[in-house]
Amino acid sequence: MTHARSKYSRGTPSGGTLLDTARIRADFPILNRQVNGRTLIYLDNAATSQKPRHVIQSIVDYYERYNANVHRGVHTLSVEATDVYEEARRKVARFINAPSEKSVIWTRNTSEAINLIAYSWGDANVGEGDNIVTTAMEHHSDIVPWQQLARRKGAQVRYIPVGRQGALDMAVARNLIDRRTKLVAAMHASNVLGTINPVGELALIAHAVGALMLVDGAQSVPSMPVDVQALGCDFLAFSAHKMCGPTGIGVLYGREDVMERMQPWMFGGDMISEVTYEGAKWNDLPYKFEAGTPNIADAIATGAAVDYLDELGMGNVWAHEQALGAYALERFKELEEFHVMGPRDPGLRGGLVSFFHDTVHPHDLGQALDRMGIAIRTGHHCAMPLVRGHGIAAAARASFYIYNTEAEIDALIDGLKDAAGYFARK
Ligand code: C6P
C-alpha cells in the first residue's frame, strides 16, 4: 500500500502520513453548511459522500463549454465531449488497474452493474440445479438479483454465514462452493459491519471449481486501493457517488474475454455496429453494453473524482479511514447500553461503525443527532437479513471519509450520551 505524500497529506512525527483534513475540507463547500444552528458534521458517507468543488465544476464546465453528444458528431463540441468522456473511462480503468478501458462499462450505479451480470451473463450461464454463492452480510443489491436469476433458472442461492467477530466463515464457504457453483458474489467491505472480506481468497476458491467471482466494491473502491488483477476477480461493481463523484453513474468492470462472450441486455443506439430490418450486429466492448446516449456529464465528473482521490493517494485515504474507525471503536467503549456491530479488531474493518442501544430506537438517536447538526444513517441499511440476524429491525451507523476528524467523532459520542440520557429520562 502506498503512503505517498501529496499536497493533501502531512507528515507525522513518527514518519507516517496523514490526510490534511483542513485542506481537504476547504474543497467541499457543503461542509460549511449550518444545520439546525450548528456546522454540519457529515457522518453518512457510506450512503453517499460529499463532492469537492473540482468535481462540481467539471459538470458545470461540460454544460457551459462543450455540451454535445458523444461518438456521433464531427463538430468540435462533440469531439471535445467524446475525448473527455473517454479519458474519464481510462482514468477509472487505471484507478482499479483494469488491463484495458474496454472492460470498463458505465452503468447507473452498483445495483445496475450487478443486474447487468445477472441478466446478461447469468441467463446464459446458470441452469437448473446450479448455484450462486453469496454472503449473509450482503447488501440487497447483491442478493435480490441472484434470487431472481435463481427463480428464472431453477437454480439455488447459497449464503456464506457470518461467524464470530463479524467475519465470513471461510470453512463453510469452502463447502458451499462446489462443482455446481457458477458464480461467487461477495462484498469487499460491508456497509453495516465494516468487515473487509477476503475476496481474493474467495476468487481462488471459485476459480478452482470453474466458477466466476463478482466483487461488490461499493464500499471498498471509495476507501482503499482496489486492484482487479491482484484480487483476481472477474467482475467488480461500484458507484461514483460514494467516492466524491456524482449520483446516477457507476461502473462495471468485467474480464474482457468473459464480456466478449456475453450478450447485451439493453438494445438501442450506440451498442450496435450494423442494423438491418432483419437484425443487428453488436458494437465492440465497452459500447456493446451501453445503449443510448450515456450519462456524459456524470462520467466526466467521475473522471474528476478519480483525479481528486489519486491526488490524495488511496493508501492515505485508507490509512485515514482506518484510523478514524479505530478511534471511534475506542470511544464507543465509553458508551453504556450501546452495542457496536462487526469486528472488535479495528485492523479487520474500515471506517464505519454501526450500533444500537438497549432501549432507544435508532431513528430517535438519528433525529436527536440531527438537531445537533450531526448526520448519521439509521434503518436496515439495505441489508435486512443481516440486521434481523442480530435480533434487531434497525441500527444506527456513523461512516467516515476523507474530510472527517477525530473532533467530529468526539461530537458524535457526546451527542449519543446526551440523546441516550434524554430518552432514558422520558
Ligand atoms: N449502500 C448505504 O447506505 P447503489 O445504491 O447502487 O449506488 O449501491 C448499492 C450498494 C451495493 N453494495 C453495497 C455494499 C452498498 O453499500 C450499496 C449502497 C448505501 O449503505 C445505500 S443503501
Side-chain angles (χ1 to χ4, degrees):
M1 190 180 294
T2 55
H3 292 266
R5 297 286 282 277
S6 79
K7 72 176 186 189
Y8 290 107
S9 61
R10 57 191 166 85
T12 62
S14 57
T17 307
L18 283 177
L19 288 183
D20 186 344
T21 44
R23 186 153 196 171
I24 292 170
R25 292 176 76 84
D27 292 337
F28 288 79
I30 206 170
L31 296 179
N32 291 322
R33 221 203 112 154
Q34 299 289 301
V35 173
N36 294 321
R38 312 269 189 98
T39 303
L40 169 67
I41 295 182
Y42 186 76
L43 303 179
D44 194 17
N45 295 286
T48 198
S49 76
Q50 297 303 345
K51 325 301 175 199
R53 199 174 280 109
H54 170 68
V55 168
I56 299 167
Q57 190 57 43
S58 71
I59 298 173
V60 174
D61 280 350
Y62 166 70
Y63 284 123
E64 285 190 352
R65 294 183 36 237
Y66 59 100
N67 173 46
N69 213 329
V70 291
H71 306 142
R72 284 157 171 84
V74 291
H75 63 80
T76 301
L77 264 51
S78 178
V79 171
E80 281 178 19
T82 304
D83 284 352
V84 184
Y85 170 80
E86 287 302 337
E87 180 56 23
R89 194 195 302 274
R90 283 190 287 277
K91 286 175 184 173
V92 169
R94 285 195 293 272
F95 191 64
I96 57 170
N97 197 27
S100 154
E101 68 268 21
K102 284 165 127 190
S103 46
V104 170
I105 314 292
W106 297 117
T107 62
R108 278 191 305 136
N109 46 37
T110 304
S111 306
E112 188 175 274
I114 295 174
N115 274 276
L116 191 163
I117 296 303
Y119 281 103
S120 173
W121 181 87
D123 278 356
N125 290 284
V126 175
E128 199 172 336
D130 289 336
N131 66 71
I132 300 128
V133 176
T134 183
T135 87
M137 66 170 80
E138 233 46 38
H139 187 279
H140 299 160
S141 293
D142 204 27
I143 294 179
V144 186
W146 311 127
Q147 290 174 339
Q148 293 300 311
L149 170 64
R151 206 169 274 182
R152 290 198 295 280
K153 293 294 174 171
Q156 190 193 21
V157 182
R158 298 176 174 177
Y159 299 93
I160 303 170
V162 181
R164 280 178 37 241
Q165 274 270 353
L168 292 179
D169 189 330
M170 292 299 284
V172 177
R174 279 188 195 85
N175 287 329
L176 289 179
I177 299 168
D178 62 17
R179 294 264 152 217
R180 297 304 303 266
T181 304
K182 294 291 174 184
L183 182 79
V184 177
M187 55 180 15
H188 196 176
S190 164
N191 64 325
V192 178
L193 304 175
T195 316
I196 308 304
N197 287 325
V199 285
E201 195 180 334
L202 282 173
L204 289 175
I205 302 170
H207 291 158
V209 297
L212 296 188
M213 178 75 206
L214 179 145
V215 174
D216 172 350
Q219 296 294 347
S220 62
V221 175
S223 299
M224 63 173 78
V226 173
D227 176 332
V228 289
Q229 297 187 66
L231 287 180
C233 62
D234 304 289
F235 305 114
L236 173 76
F238 57 99
S239 302
H241 69 90
K242 295 184 199 289
M243 46 185 281
C244 296
T247 53
I249 190 143
V251 171
L252 170 69
Y253 157 81
R255 231 178 64 204
E256 205 175 317
D257 59 316
V258 177
M259 291 209 298
E260 286 288 3
R261 292 194 295 273
M262 280 163 49
Q263 291 296 306
W265 75 314
M266 281 196 194
F267 304 90
D270 229 21
M271 53 76 62
I272 46 77
S273 65
E274 190 189 345
V275 181
T276 63
Y277 286 120
E278 285 72 43
K281 288 186 185 148
W282 312 141
N283 204 341
D284 294 333
L285 285 173
Y287 312 114
K288 180 169 88 170
F289 293 109
E290 295 176 350
T293 298
N295 186 349
I296 305 164
D298 293 324
I300 288 170
T302 303
V306 165
D307 285 342
Y308 191 79
L309 291 174
D310 272 341
E311 179 84 42
L312 266 57
M314 288 308 291
N316 298 330
V317 170
W318 182 226
H320 179 77
E321 270 200 42
Q322 279 208 303
L324 288 181
Y327 182 73
L329 276 189
E330 202 49 43
R331 293 263 7 227
F332 262 89
K333 288 181 186 159
E334 292 168 28
L335 297 180
E336 284 169 18
E337 301 177 331
F338 279 89
H339 305 277
V340 168
M341 302 167 79
R344 290 284 166 277
D345 179 350
L348 301 178
R349 55 190 291 157
L352 64 82
V353 181
S354 295
F355 54 93
F356 55 94
H357 186 269
D358 277 338
T359 54
V360 184
H361 195 279
H363 290 179
D364 289 335
L365 292 174
Q367 278 179 351
L369 288 174
D370 182 57
R371 282 199 289 275
M372 306 171 205
I374 303 173
I376 62 163
R377 182 168 174 190
T378 61
H380 51 61
H381 307 305
C382 299
M384 244 186 228
L386 173 74
V387 171
R388 285 189 177 153
H390 283 72
I392 50 174
R397 182 187 69 191
S399 51
F400 317 120
Y401 206 37
I402 48 181
Y403 31 69
N404 290 126
T405 63
E406 289 186 353
E408 291 181 313
I409 293 172
D410 293 340
L412 168 73
I413 300 293
D414 291 346
L416 287 172
K417 282 179 186 167
D418 280 0
Y422 169 80
F423 284 107
R425 284 194 300 277
K426 263 178 102 180

